[in-house]
Amino acid sequence: QVQLVESGGGLVQPGGSLRLSCTASGRGFSINTMGWYRQAPGKQRALVAIITSGGSTPYADSVKGRFTISRDNAKNTVYLQMNSLKAEDTAVYYCNAVMSIGSGFYNYWGQGTQVTVSS
């Protein structure tokens, strides 16, 4: 069974930094795209950034220049370095992975980690 486990959320002051991590575990899969989404109270889940198997990294306009996504393929892990955090970055952050298992592609989500930006 494939699982995504996130870590690194928490409370930070405006202007501060946090680093989120997400590791995929299980057997028999290969990872295509990994990424991060977020959901603020009363809003829909929205893309933050993804990183493809080829290394492309599209970002949401609201985080460009502040957030950096990266991945360690040997560890099946994706990271999100978040700098210059703002109150509007407060949300539950979800890890996502598109995986190839057998002859199919499957979409997996982590359980979510809370990021709160407040003084």
Side-chain angles (χ1 to χ4, degrees):
Q1 183 175 353
V2 176
Q3 284 189 314
L4 299 178
V5 178
E6 301 144 340
S7 62
L11 172 65
V12 64
Q13 293 186 341
S17 298
L18 282 175
R19 188 193 194 207
L20 306 183
S21 300
C22 172
T23 298
S25 63
R27 300 179 69 179
F29 65 85
S30 62
I31 301 174
N32 188 339
T33 298
M34 298 190 82
W36 292 93
Y37 292 72
R38 66 186 181 186
Q39 187 166 16
K43 295 188 177 181
Q44 290 188 329
R45 192 174 298 188
L47 172 73
V48 177
I50 62 172
I51 182 165
T52 69
S53 56
S56 296
T57 55
Y59 292 88
D61 288 343
S62 59
V63 306
K64 284 180 181 177
R66 300 188 297 122
F67 291 11
T68 302
I69 189 170
S70 61
R71 65 194 279 179
D72 184 334
N73 292 327
K75 296 181 179 179
N76 292 327
T77 298
V78 64
Y79 305 97
L80 186 68
Q81 178 66 43
M82 304 186 293
N83 299 327
S84 302
L85 282 160
K86 306 175 181 179
E88 51 263 43
D89 295 317
T90 295
V92 177
Y93 284 69
Y94 294 92
C95 176
N96 173 266
V98 176
M99 299 188 182
S100 173
I101 302 174
S103 60
F105 287 90
Y106 301 87
N107 199 30
Y108 288 90
W109 293 93
Q111 79 284 1
T113 185
Q114 178 70 47
V115 171
T116 302
V117 184
S118 175
S119 55

